[in-house]
Structures are given as C-alpha cells and as structure tokens.
Amino acid sequence: MEYRTEHDSMGEVQVPAWALWGAQTERSRRNFPIGVGLEPMPIEIIRAFAQIKKAAALSNRVLLPETMTEEKCAAICEAADAILDGSLTAHFPLVVWQTGSGTQSNMNVNEVIANYGNAQAGKALLHPNDDVNLSQSSNDTFPTALHVAAVRSVEGGLLSAVDGLIASLRRLESENGDVLKIGRTHLQDATPLRFSQEISGWRGSLEQDRRMLLAALPPLREIALGGTAVGTGLNAPKGFDLLAAETLSELTGSSFVSAPNKFHALTSLDELVFVHGAIKALAADLMKIANDVRLLASGPRCGLGEIEIPANEPGSSIMPGKVNPTQCEQLTMAAVQVLGNDTAIGIAASQGNFELNVFLPVCAYNFLQSSRLLAESVRSFTERCVRGIRANRERMAQNVERSLMLATALSPYVGYEKAARIAQTAAERGISLREACVESGLLSAERFDEIVRPERMV
C-alpha cells in the first residue's frame, strides 16, 4: 500500500495515500483497534457532523467574512454534501470505542472535508482546525451531532414504522369487530371481549407511545453548538450559536434551537435519557404485543390456536411441517436489546464530570441502535406477520362456549359465592356451566340462557 505523510501538532504520521483523513484520524485508527468493522461510529453521527460543518461555515461566512471567505465556505459546503450523499463513507474508519468526547470523529470529519476541498481546489485552501472547525470545539459539536442524529432517527424512521403498524392494527380491528373471544387475565380464562377490542388495546398502546415520543423530543432539539470548549463560547463570534442553530434547522428540515445554558448542554445527557425512556416504553409495549400474538397463535392443534399467522419459513430442522412465530421472536429480541441499551445510556449519562460528559460515543451508539433497530424490526413484524393475521373464529367461539368465567354474568342474580360454586362444580365434574347451574336448582335452563349471553358481556 502506498502512503503519504500527514502532520498534526504531535508530528508526522503515515496515512494511506487513497484516504482523505489526516493525521489525527490515523492516530485514532491505530490507537483504538477495538470493534473494527463491527462497531464503527454510527453513520448518522457522521451525517449530522457534515450538516453541522456546513451550517457552521455558512454562519461564519456571515459573522467572520474575512476569515471564512466565499471560496472556503463553498468548498466546505461541497465536501459536506459529498459526505451526505454517501460518496465519502469509506473515509470514516473510526470506531465507537475512542475518546469519550468523540474528538477524533470530529477531527475525522474536519480532515476529510479539508482534504476533499483541497483536492477539488487543487491547492491548500482549507485547514481542518482553522477553517472547518472554525468557531467550534469537539465538546460542542459532538453533543450537537448526537442531538441532531437522535431527533432525525426518531422523526425519519421510528415514528413512520410505528405509524405503519398502527395502520395495520386498525385494519385488523375493522375486520374483526364481530368476533367474540375469551379474555384472559393472569394467563387464566376471564370474561369475553371482542377480538377487535383486544387489538384496540395493542393499537392504543402504540398510539400512546407515539405521543410520548413526540412529547419527549422538544428538549432534544436544544443544541450545544456555540458553547465551544467548556460552554463559554470562547473563539466563537457573538451570535454564532443562534445563527448556526437556525441554519442547521434549514439544512436538516428539523427544528433546532440554541441551548440557553451551554454549560448544561456540554455536560448533561438528560434530554437523551428522556427520549430513550420513551423508546424503552415503546419496546416494552412491542414486547407485550409480540408475546400476545405468539401465544394466541400457539399450536396449531395443542395450543391456543385462536389466530393464524403467516408461515414464512420452515420452523425446524428435524420436525417436518413445523412453523414458528419467528417475526414475534425477532421483535422481542430487539425489544430486549433496547431495554439493555437504556441501562447503558442511563449509566453513561450519570458520568458527567465538571464541564463535560465523556461517554458520548457509547450513548450515540446505543441510542441510534435502539431507534434504527426498532424501526426495522417493527416494519418487518408489520409486513411479515401482522398483515397476515387471521382469526380462527371457530376456535374462539368454542373457547367462549367452554369458559367457566361466564359465571360472572350470574353474580347479579345468584350472588358471587353461589356463582363461584357453580363454576367450581362445572370444573370439578367436567360438565358445562349451564348443566352445573341447572343442577344447583338456582336457575332454570331457560333463565340461564337469558342471562348468560356472551355478546352482551363485551
């Protein structure tokens, strides 16, 4: 491999000739050979950095026109756009497990933009620190990139995936409004309900999760950009923070505002914890829904078997014809991962010391994995499972007819204890609730039929 010589404040470094990164990126690449190829800095963070660098250049052009010339600003913007369209993805080799402030990733972006701009200009036009990083610090750009990437991942991916699942459940509701089934509490038979009502519970949970996600986002829209090293704004011109936030909003299509307290913005991750808490709530509800679906589909002959789900692939290497609820399983595994990520984010957020939290990359990694993973998992579950759910109406009707908890309808007429005795007698002797009631002498068969009407119990 051919190399070229790059230098930074520590001296010279040999960098692969093809690479657009520079000395600081190369030092990090060598010093942190941890999770290489497996746990790179999330591409969402790199894209957010590109938008930040573009917003900073445009703001500096207004506020520091002698330093940020039109030529330099245009070169930075062109390089940032190349990052955003995916042309330069190969030039971001760094991993999550690096400095806790993400300094090397900030410099990776600075160096790539500078080298790309210089190559396009055919001269040494841009310096990674003096020009691309003008009015900025890693300490305010990485938290800003984290907020931008987090907001965009929720807005652009997770919410749309949840909307798709809600729409499929709403359709399933409308198809099953006339289907009676037995309810279950404590995994035991309970009183009847409509299958559409059970589905509405799933839908209602997701709609509530969606509302909580939207309610949690506004604090995350506050960004640290302009606070520079410790929150004082040293080396940034007056008004940079406000103009940069406004410009970043225009570039991303999402609303961002300058954090009113930069000292808080640099050292606290409470907004991220708050939003991920809403993602955790969504994961918990998805776990419940997926478990309900796979239990209702258990069988097909020796389980509940109240619904049928799509048979997507063979379920066993030894048992012919077996079909497993694999989409439910992938969704529950994804939910477990999100619950674990929430713990990691919470612990990391508690570790801010003085003017900076140095657990930023791991928070970025876990948050973005949660948002991305749930979005993809939910889409798969919706497309390959929920859309194909069919009610086994015959099995549901049989279960309603056999349920002893229809005795609940007897309580107003014979009292709780006598109704319980009727149900216990039916269970012990293996006879129907109707037979046990008639034998008790408390009600006639005709009166029982008038009172115990499952369709009136929903």
Side-chain angles (χ1 to χ4, degrees):
M1 181 185 293
E2 294 184 2
Y3 292 87
R4 72 176 191 276
T5 301
E6 289 276 349
H7 74 276
D8 58 15
S9 61
M10 294 183 68
E12 294 184 344
V13 181
Q14 294 297 299
V15 176
W18 63 271
L20 287 176
W21 65 76
Q24 291 197 48
T25 303
E26 183 63 22
R27 291 188 194 280
S28 180
R29 192 170 75 97
R30 295 179 187 182
N31 289 332
F32 301 98
I34 308 163
V36 176
L38 299 174
E39 293 160 327
M41 184 60 65
I43 191 63
E44 297 96 329
I45 292 292
I46 302 303
R47 291 176 58 83
F49 261 120
Q51 291 168 322
I52 290 166
K53 299 303 175 181
K54 187 173 181 178
L58 292 169
S59 300
N60 282 320
R61 176 63 188 144
V62 173
L63 300 172
L64 298 172
E66 293 184 2
T67 303
M68 181 57 64
T69 64
E70 180 62 35
E71 185 182 18
K72 288 182 177 181
C73 182
I76 291 172
C77 291
E78 181 182 352
D81 288 340
I83 294 173
L84 291 170
D85 70 22
S87 301
L88 306 181
T89 301
H91 299 277
F92 299 97
L94 302 187
V95 295
V96 170
W97 316 110
Q98 53 166 279
T99 180
S101 62
T103 297
Q104 279 88 35
S105 283
N106 178 45
M107 285 307 305
N108 187 182
V109 176
N110 289 336
E111 290 175 342
V112 168
I113 288 177
N115 284 331
Y116 180 89
N118 292 340
Q120 295 299 108
K123 60 182 180 180
L125 175 65
L126 299 175
H127 187 280
N129 298 86
D130 296 336
D131 299 311
V132 187
N133 203 57
L134 182 64
S135 306
Q136 305 151 67
S137 163
S138 299
N139 295 354
D140 65 348
T141 56
F142 199 103
T144 299
L146 177 52
H147 280 212
V148 170
V151 168
R152 298 293 293 155
S153 71
V154 172
E155 285 183 334
L158 187 54
L159 286 174
S160 64
V162 171
D163 287 343
L165 179 52
I166 289 172
S168 286
L169 290 174
R170 195 179 295 280
R171 176 191 56 77
L172 201 60
E173 271 184 80
S174 66
E175 293 173 357
N176 291 278
D178 61 334
V179 181
L180 289 178
K181 71 181 296 291
I182 201 66
R184 296 178 179 86
T185 58
H186 302 271
L187 297 181
Q188 304 297 306
D189 300 346
T191 55
L193 75 164
R194 299 188 189 281
F195 185 35
S196 59
Q197 292 173 319
E198 188 168 53
I199 298 167
S200 78
W202 301 339
R203 173 182 54 77
S205 295
L206 296 174
E207 288 174 339
Q208 182 73 295
D209 292 325
R210 190 184 193 284
R211 286 190 289 270
M212 290 190 292
L213 269 170
L214 288 174
L217 282 180
L220 200 59
R221 299 183 187 280
E222 296 182 3
I223 58 173
L225 194 60
T228 64
V230 297
T232 61
L234 180 67
N235 290 352
K238 184 177 180 178
F240 174 82
D241 55 347
L242 300 176
L243 181 56
E246 181 182 340
T247 306
L248 187 60
S249 298
E250 294 173 358
L251 294 176
T252 61
S254 294
S255 176
F256 294 100
V257 297
S258 181
N261 188 319
K262 302 298 192 301
F263 307 102
H264 161 81
L266 266 62
T267 194
S268 176
L269 293 170
D270 50 8
E271 301 93 347
L272 197 77
V273 173
F274 188 44
V275 177
H276 198 274
I279 295 177
K280 178 177 70 171
L282 171 62
D285 280 333
L286 289 169
M287 174 76 80
K288 191 269 183 192
I289 293 168
N291 279 334
D292 281 357
V293 169
R294 64 174 164 185
L295 287 170
L296 289 172
S298 61
R301 294 187 175 178
C302 301
L304 296 181
E306 289 191 345
I307 65 173
E308 297 172 359
I309 58 176
N312 296 319
E313 64 275 313
S316 173
S317 62
I318 189 174
M319 294 174 280
K322 193 171 189 293
V323 175
N324 294 332
T326 52
Q327 287 298 315
C328 298
E329 291 165 5
Q330 66 83 8
L331 182 56
T332 53
M333 285 192 290
V336 166
Q337 183 65 50
V338 171
L339 298 180
N341 287 350
D342 191 73
T343 299
I345 290 171
I347 293 173
S350 73
Q351 299 302 304
N353 300 122
F354 303 117
E355 279 64 62
L356 188 66
N357 181 295
V358 290
F359 286 72
L360 294 171
V362 72
C363 284
Y365 180 69
N366 282 284
F367 186 101
L368 294 169
Q369 184 194 51
S370 289
S371 184
R372 186 190 323 114
L373 178 63
L374 270 195
E376 294 174 358
S377 179
V378 166
R379 289 192 190 98
S380 183
F381 179 67
T382 302
E383 179 181 344
R384 297 175 179 86
C385 181
V386 174
R387 289 179 183 172
I389 289 177
R390 298 291 180 269
N392 185 336
R393 295 177 177 233
E394 183 179 355
R395 179 70 68 89
M396 288 183 178
Q398 290 172 351
N399 286 341
V400 170
E401 185 179 343
R402 294 172 59 232
S403 173
L404 300 178
M405 290 306 101
L406 298 181
T408 305
L410 298 174
S411 292
Y413 301 92
V414 302
Y416 180 90
E417 291 190 10
K418 291 177 181 178
R421 195 176 311 125
I422 291 170
Q424 291 161 0
T425 298
E428 291 167 0
R429 295 179 52 196
I431 60 177
S432 71
L433 194 66
R434 186 175 188 270
E435 291 172 312
C437 185
V438 172
E439 284 187 12
S440 74
L442 294 170
L443 294 172
S444 67
E446 292 76 16
R447 184 61 174 149
F448 178 91
D449 291 341
E450 290 176 3
I451 294 171
V452 182
R453 300 283 296 275
E455 68 274 11
R456 293 179 181 174
M457 299 174 69
V458 298

